[in-house]
Amino acid sequence: NDDFMKQLAKHVAPGSSVLFVLLRRATLDKLLEHLNQFEGTVLQTSLSHDEEQKLRDAIESSSDSVVVT
């Protein structure tokens, strides 16, 4: 929602970025193929616990950027 994005924007450091991903029809493996090039932190998802962990494992090797799905 817009309020979440506005609150998050207040905490983004200069020179860093935020990536919001909204998917309606996709499989996690296809998403990970594209997101595994990024490093970041997952803040919020609607994925199952297992799928969320796969996403975290794929992208959370540093906290230079943030991913919210």
Side-chain angles (χ1 to χ4, degrees):
N1 80 34
D2 288 342
D3 291 333
F4 175 75
M5 290 186 285
K6 289 175 184 175
Q7 289 297 320
L8 183 60
K10 293 178 182 179
H11 302 285
V12 177
S16 64
S17 60
V18 176
L19 175 64
F20 292 92
V21 178
L22 174 62
L23 298 171
R24 299 207 187 271
R25 293 187 185 136
T27 59
L28 184 61
D29 57 330
K30 289 182 181 181
L31 173 65
L32 294 178
E33 285 177 23
H34 297 284
L35 288 181
N36 67 3
Q37 64 186 317
F38 300 104
E39 296 177 348
T41 303
V42 177
L43 295 181
Q44 179 178 335
T45 76
S46 60
L47 298 171
S48 70
H49 291 293
D50 291 338
E51 290 175 329
E52 183 175 322
Q53 189 58 52
K54 289 178 185 177
L55 176 61
R56 289 180 187 280
D57 292 344
I59 65 170
E60 288 192 344
S61 58
S62 105
S63 56
D64 292 338
S65 57
V66 177
V67 177
V68 177
T69 62

